[in-house]
């Protein structure tokens, strides 16, 4: 749910964006890590369609590997790899619903290097194959149901 919210917020037109508070929510001692994690999440959302290396994240956050890994898991609730896979799967779900692109084209376009890995991760996340997911969505659209 958090990923959906962050994705929706980053896609909103600037005119619709409004700060809720000018004050950080975390204590001042945590502000440095919060800023670095916000930078890392922004980088991942902007580059999820490409190969993302841990070294790139360490460079943009200016953190060591152990500190970055610990802080990312603490702030995001999951590892970088799991977070990136979730972002990629959500993008694939969106494309499966909105387009008629081939599944392999969607998988590769969402950052997956191998279709077999994409299918395995997709099935684990969505409890169905990409084809079944697309068919279910189309059936719901035809019948006008939302479930």
């Amino acid at each position: 749910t958090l990923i959906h919210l962050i994705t929706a917020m980053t896609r909103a037109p600037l005119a619709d964006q409004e700060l809720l508070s000018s004050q950080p929510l975390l204590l001042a001692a945590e502000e440095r890590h919060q800023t670095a994690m916000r930078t890392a999440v922004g980088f991942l959302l902007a580059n999820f369609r490409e190969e993302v290396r841990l070294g790139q994240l360490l460079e943009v956050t200016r953190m060591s590997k152990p500190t970055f890994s610990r802080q990312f898991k603490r702030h995001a609730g999951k590892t970088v790899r799991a977070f990136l896979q979730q972002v990629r799967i959500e993008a694939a779900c969106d494309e499966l619903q909105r387009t008629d692109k081939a599944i392999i084209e969607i998988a590769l376009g969402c950052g997956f290097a191998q279709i077999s890995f994409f299918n395995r991760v997709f099935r684990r996340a969505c409890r169905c194959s990409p084809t079944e997911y697309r068919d279910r969505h189309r059936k719901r659209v035809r019948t006008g149901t939302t479930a």
Side-chain angles (χ1 to χ4, degrees):
T1 304
L2 177 61
I3 302 304
H4 285 295
L5 179 61
I6 291 170
T7 303
M9 290 177 4
T10 60
R11 291 182 180 163
L14 287 176
D16 293 344
Q17 295 180 14
E18 178 182 332
L19 286 178
L20 297 176
S21 172
S22 61
Q23 299 297 316
L25 296 175
L26 296 178
L27 300 174
E30 295 294 317
E31 188 174 330
R32 186 179 94 228
H33 294 306
Q34 183 181 14
T35 301
M37 292 304 103
R38 191 176 16 238
T39 300
V41 168
F43 183 87
L44 289 168
L45 292 175
N47 297 287
F48 73 90
R49 294 181 186 279
E50 310 296 325
E51 180 181 359
V52 177
R53 297 193 179 274
L54 181 59
Q56 294 171 300
L57 293 166
L58 299 178
E59 192 175 309
V60 299
T61 59
R62 297 182 178 152
M63 298 177 90
S64 68
K65 183 178 177 179
T67 301
F68 176 81
S69 297
R70 182 176 58 252
Q71 291 299 323
F72 191 91
K73 183 151 178 127
R74 182 168 171 252
H75 284 81
K78 56 185 69 179
T79 65
V80 173
R81 180 180 173 152
F83 181 88
L84 189 55
Q85 282 181 2
Q86 183 176 352
V87 169
R88 288 173 171 166
I89 290 296
E90 288 178 10
C93 287
D94 184 54
E95 288 192 41
L96 286 166
Q97 291 177 23
R98 292 184 306 100
T99 73
D100 289 326
K101 289 181 185 176
I103 291 172
I104 190 167
E105 184 180 351
I106 291 172
L108 296 174
C110 288
F112 289 93
Q114 298 175 344
I115 188 69
S116 60
F117 181 67
F118 168 73
N119 285 326
R120 190 168 50 250
V121 171
F122 192 96
R123 186 174 289 281
R124 190 179 323 129
C126 300
R127 302 195 195 298
C128 64
S129 72
T131 301
E132 291 167 336
Y133 181 89
R134 178 179 267 167
D135 291 344
R136 286 180 194 168
H137 174 73
R138 287 182 177 166
K139 183 178 179 184
R140 282 192 300 254
V141 169
R142 279 194 305 268
T143 61
T145 60
T146 59

